[in-house]
Amino acid sequence: CGCVVCFFVFFFRQKTAYEIRLSLVGTEIALCGMMTALAVVILCLGGLIPAATFCCPVLASLVLLPVMQRWGRRDAVLVWAASAVLGLLLGPDKEAAALYAALGYYPAIRAGLDRKRPALRWALKLLLFNGATIALYALLIFVLGLNALVEEYRATGTALLIATLALGNVVFVIYDFLLKRLERVLAARKRRTE
């Protein structure tokens, strides 16, 4: 009888709060690592599919949403930072990785921008997008001297570059709208599972 009691106490005892906390921290680290790896894989696809240079950074940034829903902005920014560094080091398409490094954190800060008045909100969002995009390409061309970009832009012409940036703004607004919808869907799903 004493052996049976020892068996149940040893194998079925309650976990302490410290043990539960350690298991949750381990789960958080493991899932954030998996999300970082997924973002890097998505960024690497940009080098395999030529037209994906602009799509892959957007898709990789969506990986931050489940992290934000589960653990908050701090962990989402850490996942973005780790995946941005790894994408720049390992990714075959440096332009896609640089775009992710410049704008991939947007899902983590979007909620803060949405608390502003609508006119100010959109002014800040578009300023962020345009400022980051122009600063990124200035860095790639003038500091890092990527000759392929210089030749591409020289052949493209100024009018087409301005049209591309304007189209980028339209796509950014659509991305922001879809991001908000996706956040709502994830929040509703989280509420259903709790």
Side-chain angles (χ1 to χ4, degrees), residues 95-142:
E95 186 178 4
L99 278 169
Y100 179 74
L103 291 167
Y105 57 86
Y106 181 71
I109 65 165
R110 195 190 66 72
L113 292 173
D114 278 348
R115 290 188 204 113
K116 309 286 186 209
R117 291 188 326 256
L120 180 61
R121 171 189 326 150
W122 281 107
L124 289 173
K125 287 179 179 183
L126 292 174
L127 180 66
L128 172 75
F129 172 76
N130 288 302
T133 303
I134 291 169
L136 168 69
Y137 281 100
L139 175 78
L140 290 175
I141 291 171
F142 298 117

Side-chain angles (χ1 to χ4, degrees), residues 15-25:
K15 287 186 175 183
T16 64
Y18 179 72
E19 289 171 326
I20 292 172
R21 184 173 173 271
L22 283 179
S23 69
L24 290 176
V25 168

Side-chain angles (χ1 to χ4, degrees), residues 15-53:
K15 287 186 175 183
T16 64
Y18 179 72
E19 289 171 326
I20 292 172
R21 184 173 173 271
L22 283 179
S23 69
L24 290 176
V25 168
T27 302
E28 176 183 355
I29 290 171
L31 288 176
C32 285
M34 288 174 28
M35 291 299 183
T36 300
L38 179 60
V40 172
V41 167
I42 292 170
L43 285 174
C44 288
L45 290 175
L48 300 175
I49 306 167
T53 298

